[in-house]
Amino acid sequence: MAQHTVTVRGLVRQFGDRRVLDDLDLVVRQGEFVALLGRSGSGKSTLLRVLAGLDREADGETTVNGTVSVAFQQPRLLPWRRVWRNVSLGLHGVDARSVADKALAEVQLTDHAQAWPLTLSGGEAQRVSLARALVREPDLLLLDEPFGALDALTRLAMHRLVDDLWQRHRPSVLLVTHDIDEALALADRVLVLDEGRIVAEHTPPVGRPRRHADLTELRTRVLADLGVTLDEAA
Amino acid sequence: MLSGAWRWLSPVGLLLLWQIASGTGILSEDKLASPTKVLAAGIDLATSGQLGDAFVVSLRRVLLGVAVGAVIALALGLTAGLSRWGAVLVDPPVQMLRTLPFLGLIPLFIIWFGIGEEPKIALVALGFAFPLYLNVYAGIRDTDPQLLEATAVLGFTRWERLLHVVLPAALPQALVGLRQGLGVAWLSLIVGEQINADAGLGYLINNARDFLRTDQVVVGLVVYAGLGLATDALVRALERKALRWRNTP
């Protein structure tokens, strides 16, 4: 059996009286792409922060095997460092420039290596952020609603890019999102988080790239898990 | 739209009025010399070498004062900004001292340093240090926590975070402090040079006053103003270079 990249058991995170994560269990297998769906306030970002090591106040057992990298909702680039430096800074013992150039080529931003981050569009900045996360060759890639601030067309292009990069590098991925279509298009497994627990699990059809038409029925079921019936939605 | 050249209309007009008032005797030379006389006095002082000598002496005082003030302000600002204990220990006394009218310290400075170069340099250093300290400290404190968090996850060492996140983040604010500090530094110099100066622009002005040479007094003032403008332009140029990442189209 393949080793698990993430093993979480009985995870509890409390802010005051509020249990944001309530006895949560989660396993992410090596090379698996897992999407975590939930409304705002369901605890999905808190879970990601715990896995990233940014929140050390949680109780329970959390094991992450290997290195972790994160792409956040905002690209969080250093505006005073050129794009290629943003990709390679913090890497040690490598030829920074060539490693950065290779990563930027993968996200089709070779021409922007020398640019200042503030000159990039939202989609370009997010691609730099992805390149920066991937160049560290993480065993676990955490994506915190990284396409939430992008327009619909750019978001679709980003989905293809992430799918592509994941197939090439095969890290385990945990994608936190509230976009059902995004989750269904990309993930091997879609988990629905509500009130700090995983309340449902779905497995989209295996083939990639997935066609929207094949997902209609599953989409309805996931929506129901999130407490939205189509009558209501209409 | 009126072109920018028209903005010169009223200043030049005022200059002409001044000249006319002097020429017709409405403005006596004892009170204020005419623009042409000021110009002549300026050329005179410049060719005799007096103005150049005074200029060098005053510039030296400001440069030394600014250098001393910068070392103090950066040391304190970095200490307070980068460590919690530093902030607790350094910031309260500095904030208290800041409320002192520092020009009022001149009597103490004369007692401590005498009447030579030292009290003048110390006054400049003190005037320069406060704005720089406050802005360096505030700049470091305002570093975007999201960037610190992101770089921590990406495996930056403490030193890398300081070098690539904290210090660059504080730089715009620190440059604001530099500009404010330089403004205060010139002011401190002008006040400091009133104490028993035997050289420098302040001495030149005081000397001229004793002989009712209002033309020479105005020359001194114009040079002070020019120096202030020049340092301001210098810092702006520095800003454009250091902060070019945010001025790009």
Side-chain angles (χ1 to χ4, degrees):
Chain A
M1 195 178 95
Q3 203 190 12
H4 293 164
T5 308
V6 176
T7 313
V8 172
R9 255 184 254 293
L11 188 66
V12 174
R13 178 66 169 106
Q14 207 147 344
F15 292 102
D17 292 339
R18 231 182 115 234
R19 280 199 159 196
V20 178
L21 296 176
D22 187 6
D23 196 18
L24 181 138
D25 296 332
L26 169 72
V27 164
V28 178
R29 287 181 282 274
Q30 202 170 45
E32 188 183 27
F33 197 132
V34 175
L36 198 61
L37 262 177
R39 298 160 173 269
S40 26
S42 58
K44 53 194 195 306
S45 284
T46 307
L47 175 60
L48 186 131
R49 292 176 60 81
V50 171
L51 293 177
L54 290 171
D55 184 340
R56 296 177 194 279
E57 306 285 306
D59 296 316
E61 185 198 320
T62 308
T63 317
V64 176
N65 280 313
T67 54
V68 182
S69 217
V70 187
F72 298 91
Q73 176 165 18
Q74 299 302 324
R76 301 198 192 182
L77 304 176
L78 304 173
W80 41 76
R81 293 287 181 262
R82 293 184 190 275
V83 162
W84 75 268
R85 295 266 280 159
N86 262 286
V87 172
S88 65
L89 274 174
L91 285 175
H92 306 113
V94 294
D95 174 5
R97 185 62 204 253
S98 71
V99 166
D101 279 344
K102 221 174 105 198
L104 285 170
E106 282 200 305
V107 295
Q108 289 102 45
L109 281 176
T110 305
D111 295 343
H112 293 70
Q114 285 290 349
W116 297 109
L118 291 182
T119 64
L120 301 177
S121 70
E124 287 166 348
Q126 205 51 270
R127 268 144 69 199
V128 175
S129 170
L130 266 183
R132 180 177 67 172
L134 281 170
V135 82
R136 279 142 234 275
E137 296 175 356
D139 299 299
L140 174 63
L141 176 62
L142 300 170
L143 302 174
D144 187 6
E145 301 188 32
F147 319 123
L150 303 178
D151 66 85
L153 294 175
T154 312
R155 204 177 317 152
L156 285 176
M158 290 293 279
H159 291 166
R160 261 200 311 278
L161 178 65
V162 166
D163 198 26
D164 214 46
L165 291 171
W166 172 70
Q167 302 213 28
R168 209 169 320 152
H169 296 273
R170 283 285 162 173
S172 308
V173 177
L174 186 66
L175 166 70
V176 162
T177 180
H178 53 236
D179 180 341
I180 297 182
D181 297 316
E182 182 169 296
L184 294 180
L186 292 173
D188 296 324
R189 211 146 50 94
V190 177
L191 307 175
V192 179
L193 191 68
D194 192 37
E195 309 215 321
R197 289 160 171 273
I198 288 163
V199 294
E201 178 174 334
H202 296 278
T203 316
V206 183
R208 285 167 192 266
R210 293 180 185 139
R211 283 158 19 109
H212 208 271
D214 300 338
L215 301 168
T216 325
E217 194 256 342
L218 182 58
R219 189 172 189 276
T220 312
R221 276 191 286 143
V222 176
L223 273 172
D225 291 330
L226 287 162
V228 183
T229 64
L230 281 183
D231 291 347
E232 238 180 282
Chain B
M1 266 314 277
L2 288 172
S3 78
W6 288 106
R7 292 180 54 82
W8 288 97
L9 187 64
S10 51
V12 171
L14 283 171
L15 216 59
L16 274 174
L17 270 180
W18 176 7
Q19 182 67 42
I20 292 165
S22 297
T24 54
I26 297 171
L27 195 61
S28 86
E29 208 181 312
D30 298 349
K31 304 287 181 231
L32 194 62
S34 71
T36 44
K37 288 238 171 179
V38 171
L39 188 65
I43 293 169
D44 221 36
L45 286 171
T47 46
S48 73
Q50 271 174 285
L51 192 62
D53 293 346
F55 179 85
V56 169
V57 170
S58 289
L59 192 65
R60 180 172 171 276
R61 287 173 184 151
V62 164
L63 290 179
L64 281 173
V66 164
V68 172
V71 170
I72 295 171
L74 287 176
L76 292 178
L78 289 172
T79 309
L82 295 177
S83 102
R84 214 168 300 165
W85 270 106
V88 169
L89 295 176
V90 170
D91 199 47
V94 177
Q95 296 287 354
M96 287 176 208
L97 286 175
R98 188 172 73 96
T99 60
L100 279 180
F102 75 98
L103 294 175
L105 292 174
I106 290 176
L108 272 182
F109 277 20
I110 291 176
I111 294 172
W112 293 344
F113 303 115
I115 53 169
E117 289 299 288
E118 292 89 346
K120 301 171 182 67
I121 292 168
L123 205 62
V124 171
L126 197 67
F128 175 74
F130 281 114
L132 186 62
Y133 164 84
L134 291 173
N135 283 288
V136 167
Y137 178 49
I140 292 175
R141 276 310 190 76
D142 284 350
T143 305
D144 183 356
Q146 294 210 330
L147 289 182
L148 288 171
E149 202 178 80
T151 46
V153 179
L154 293 167
F156 280 44
T157 61
R158 271 180 79 87
W159 169 246
E160 283 171 330
R161 273 193 286 166
L162 179 69
L163 197 67
H164 299 300
V165 187
V166 177
L167 294 183
L171 189 60
Q173 190 76 44
L175 286 170
V176 169
L178 177 63
R179 209 154 81 206
Q180 287 177 357
L182 284 171
V184 182
W186 283 113
L187 202 67
S188 311
L189 175 79
I190 294 167
V191 175
E193 289 193 332
Q194 306 292 318
I195 345 168
N196 268 319
D198 52 9
L201 288 168
Y203 171 72
L204 191 118
I205 290 175
N206 278 344
N207 230 12
R209 181 200 60 200
D210 291 344
F211 296 99
L212 293 181
R213 290 292 303 269
T214 53
D215 51 350
Q216 293 189 346
V217 172
V218 175
V219 170
L221 291 176
V222 168
V223 174
Y224 271 141
L227 281 167
L229 283 175
T231 42
D232 210 58
L234 203 70
V235 178
R236 277 174 199 278
L238 191 68
E239 258 173 11
R240 267 196 303 278
K241 177 123 183 65
L243 307 181
R244 62 197 192 283
W245 51 269
R246 64 176 192 187
N247 310 330
T248 38

